[in-house]
Each structure stands twice: as C-alpha cells, then as structure tokens.
Amino acid sequence: MTNRTPAAQRAIALHRESWGKPAVVSRAPGRVNLIGEHTDYNGGYVLPMAIEFDTVVALSPTRSGRRSTVISEDFGKAALDSKRESIDSTHWASYVFGVSHLLHGHGISTGSWNCSIATDVPIGACLSSSAALEVALAAALLQLAGESWEPAETAQLCQRVENEVVGMPCGIMDPLISACAIAGHASLIDCRLLDVRPRRLPEGTVTAILDTTTRRELVDSAYADRRSACGRAADWLGVAALRDARLDDVERMPDELANERRRARHVVTENERTLEAAQAMCEDDAEALGALMNASHVSLRDDYEVSGPALDAIVEIAQTSPGCIGARMTGGGFAGCAVALVDTEAANAFASAVQESYRVTTGFDARVWLSRPAAGASLLD
Ligand code: GLA
C-alpha cells in the first residue's frame, strides 16, 4: 500500500461524487526512458525509469447487469457492455475496454463496475500515459476479481491491448516499467527475456524531463514503418530479431536496402549503448552515461529519423546548459519530451536556462520536471 498522490485524491473525489466510496484504488506511473529507444520491439535492451506522475483508477462493483461505466477527469463518461466484442479504436475508452476484454478472455471475470480515472501523467507527451492507464486499471480489476498480480504477465496483456485493440504496434517497455519499476532505480530490461535489473542513477545526478509541448499521435504510420523496416532488415540478415544482428553484417547490406540498413544500424548500436549505459551506472560513471545519451540522440536523429525540430532544439539547448551531463529525445519521438541527466546542484539553474533559451529559439514554452525514479504500480489504501 502506498500513500495518496494528487491524482489519487482527484480520482477518489470523482468516484465519490458519482457512486460513493470506491472498493479498490490503484495507481501506475508514467515513464521516461534514459536510453534504449526503438529497441524493445527488436528483442533488445531498454533502460527506463518510472516517473513521479501517476494515473489512478478508483473502482467499485455494481449490480447493473452487463453495463460498466467509466468517467475520466480528462475525457468524460463512457458506458461499456461486457458482451461487446469490439470498440472504435480511436475512442479514449478503448484502453479501458481493451484491458477488461482481454482479462475476460483469460477467464478473469470482474462483473460490472464503476470506474473513475485521474492522471498527472502529461497526455501524449511520450511519457506513457496510455500504459499507465492500462496497468493501473489491470491492477484494480485483478484485485476486484480476487486474482494475483503478476507484473510481467500484466504488462504483456497491456501490450496486447495496444497492439490488438488500439492498433498501436508498440513494444513491451512502457507497460513493463509501469508495472515493475523499483523506487529509486531505473531498470535495465531485456525485452526478449523480460528480465528486469534495477540500476541506480549516478551519485549527485537527477533526471530532468524536458517537454517541448509539441504533440504527435503515435498511432500513425511512422512508428509502424520503422517497425516493418526492422523486420525486413532482420529477414535479410537471417536473424530472428535485430537484437541478434552484428554491426559489420548490417554495414554489408546492399544499397537498395539503404533505408533498412540505417534503421538496423541504429538498433544494433543503441543496444550496445544501452548495455554500456547500464555498466556505467554500475560504475557510478555519470560522464560515460551522459556521453552515451548524447550519442543515442544523434543515432535517433540521423539513422532512425524519429526526432524533429522541437526535439533537436531542446536537446541542443539542454546539452549546452549549465549542469547537463547528457541529453536525448525519449520515447517514440517526433514530438513530446527529451530527457537529460543533470548535476543535482545545478538542476534548478539548468531548468531555467533551458526554458529561457527554448522560448527564445522556438517561441514555445517548454515545461521541465525533475524526477526521481518512482515505484511501479500499486494498490492504495
Ligand atoms: C513507444 C512505444 C515503446 C517503444 C518506444 C520507443 O513509447 O510504446 O514500446 O517502442 O516508443 O523506444
């Protein structure tokens, strides 16, 4: 059991207004990925941490037959029929429907329920607001059904919600870190084996999340395009996934596959950087970790081509601001957030300098949050 966060207070208040005291309240965090981008769906390594922003679900059983009702602080109200087999994948409640539907498919019956949702995870900012919702809801529904909480299995179910119900072909990173994170630590995750190893940030450093305040839907063709290019590269290389590819073999790919070659080069080098970053964390080597983050951004920008003007601008500004040890875009890309590793003592000066320069350079207001690594999903009192 964990203490109540601001989102928890709002979710419970919302629930009380409509239905009275909730029977179950659960929370799950958003995440920021320190390094290891676009490697998860290639069977590779990622190094994310949960952030101090939660999505909270308050739930109570009802006797209203097949009909469940959900209210979101941000999106309004929706009714869900338990006999329903599909949903419009663009509807916000498709995440809620998906979790409940797939749990049902596993023989986990929750009856009908009322559910209220509140979140402090910025939506659409590449901080995994959708995984936080899915994981929090799955935790609450499992508790309501009297079932045990298996974090890795729950993460796989949430990934299926994205892939099969929402239509987003994402990997396992986001729900897995939201479910499994250990407070005070980032996690080196082997996305093939679903092995999660805690890693501490170097002494005297803090993570800064830099929100460009630009947004782009991930359910668009660019993410799927990158994924299929990786699949074609793996086929040509004769490996099950790009995790198994070697850089010299990638460099031998023919010019008619130049695009696939660049994508594969990013994945193979990013996997190496991620393992080196985890090692640097074991050795408390902030400089080495920062340099790897900078190199990751170059690779994402030039080889994988998933950065964008706002992300490039904020990363460049961060890298030249006081106290910065390393910075890169984070998450799916194109818009949303970057992440920086910053000297703790300079963190406030760093945040002000980034905001000021970003305003001057782009005309937009950036948001900057300093976050310690938070804990994965939990039930609340
Ligand atoms: C999104 C997806 C993740 C991962 C990242 C890129 O966040 O949901 O599975 O692929 O993009 O690293």
Side-chain angles (χ1 to χ4, degrees):
M1 298 281 179
T2 321
N3 288 333
R4 286 181 186 177
T5 61
Q9 289 167 14
R10 300 199 307 280
I12 293 167
L14 196 59
H15 203 89
R16 280 183 184 277
E17 275 166 31
S18 303
W19 304 299
K21 190 172 183 282
V24 182
V25 183
S26 62
R27 58 160 281 282
R31 64 100 188 92
V32 67
N33 190 18
L34 299 177
I35 194 163
E37 218 65 86
H38 290 277
T39 45
D40 60 349
Y41 53 82
N42 289 297
Y45 300 95
V46 295
L47 223 171
M49 60 177 238
I51 58 176
E52 293 169 305
F53 292 137
D54 286 337
T55 293
V56 176
V57 164
L59 204 65
S60 46
T62 68
R63 289 197 192 82
S64 50
R66 296 164 16 180
R67 189 184 152 98
S68 292
T69 306
V70 52
I71 300 183
S72 148
E73 186 185 47
D74 296 291
F75 298 108
K77 197 170 189 173
L80 298 171
D81 185 323
S82 63
K83 290 280 182 267
R84 188 174 181 161
E85 285 298 322
S86 64
I87 190 169
D88 168 9
S89 63
T90 61
H91 195 284
W92 68 267
S94 58
Y95 300 100
V96 178
F97 166 80
V99 172
S100 144
H101 187 66
L102 293 191
L103 280 175
H104 203 73
H106 277 263
I108 296 172
S109 169
T110 51
S112 56
W113 33 265
N114 292 322
C115 170
S116 57
I117 302 167
T119 189
D120 289 326
V121 184
I123 294 170
C126 291
L127 297 176
S128 232
S129 55
S130 57
L133 169 57
E134 291 151 5
V135 172
L137 180 66
L141 286 173
L142 286 166
Q143 173 74 7
L144 195 67
E147 299 281 339
S148 62
W149 163 249
E150 305 290 346
E153 271 176 39
T154 304
Q156 286 174 303
L157 181 128
C158 295
Q159 185 191 5
R160 284 184 53 213
V161 171
E162 296 277 351
N163 296 171
E164 296 167 23
V165 180
V166 181
M168 159 64 187
C170 64
I172 190 73
M173 169 169 69
D174 302 349
L176 194 58
I177 190 66
S178 185
C180 296
I182 296 160
H185 299 76
S187 297
L188 172 66
I189 302 178
D190 177 330
C191 295
R192 176 174 277 166
L193 303 178
L194 303 190
D195 176 53
V196 180
R197 308 245 160 143
R199 288 287 182 274
R200 278 192 189 283
L201 287 180
E203 194 66 32
T205 67
V206 64
T207 303
I209 301 163
L210 317 173
D211 186 358
T212 62
T213 64
T214 57
R215 298 287 181 262
R216 175 159 166 165
E217 286 290 317
L218 268 181
V219 188
D220 65 18
S221 58
Y223 188 93
D225 284 354
R226 296 301 182 282
R227 227 190 136 140
S228 37
C230 291
R232 288 193 299 277
D235 286 347
W236 190 90
L237 291 159
V239 291
L242 286 181
R243 176 219 177 103
D244 306 310
R246 290 159 34 114
L247 190 55
D248 46 359
D249 292 332
V250 169
E251 297 299 2
R252 278 198 286 273
M253 288 174 73
D255 286 347
E256 57 274 25
L257 292 178
N259 221 24
E260 286 77 1
R261 187 172 61 205
R262 280 207 310 279
R263 308 303 186 230
R265 186 191 300 134
H266 164 73
V267 174
V268 171
T269 58
E270 184 77 351
N271 270 329
E272 283 169 9
R273 282 187 290 272
T274 306
L275 291 174
E276 284 171 27
Q279 185 58 30
M281 290 169 95
C282 289
E283 291 164 6
D284 202 31
D285 188 343
E287 294 302 324
L289 176 59
L292 289 160
M293 291 170 76
N294 293 341
S296 168
H297 185 77
V298 172
S299 179
L300 287 158
R301 185 191 63 199
D302 298 346
D303 278 341
Y304 218 65
E305 295 181 287
V306 289
S307 190
L311 286 169
D312 287 343
I314 211 160
V315 166
E316 203 181 313
I317 289 165
Q319 287 170 345
T320 49
S321 292
C324 186
I325 306 164
R328 56 183 286 279
M329 56 150 277
T330 190
F334 302 107
C337 289
V339 60
L341 185 70
V342 181
D343 185 341
T344 309
E345 284 183 4
N348 290 331
F350 168 83
S352 311
V354 168
Q355 284 174 310
E356 175 62 24
S357 305
Y358 186 72
R359 193 176 305 118
V360 171
T361 311
T362 66
F364 294 120
D365 286 323
R367 293 190 291 178
V368 179
W369 302 284
L370 303 175
S371 184
R372 281 166 306 190
S378 56
L379 299 172
L380 302 181
D381 300 319

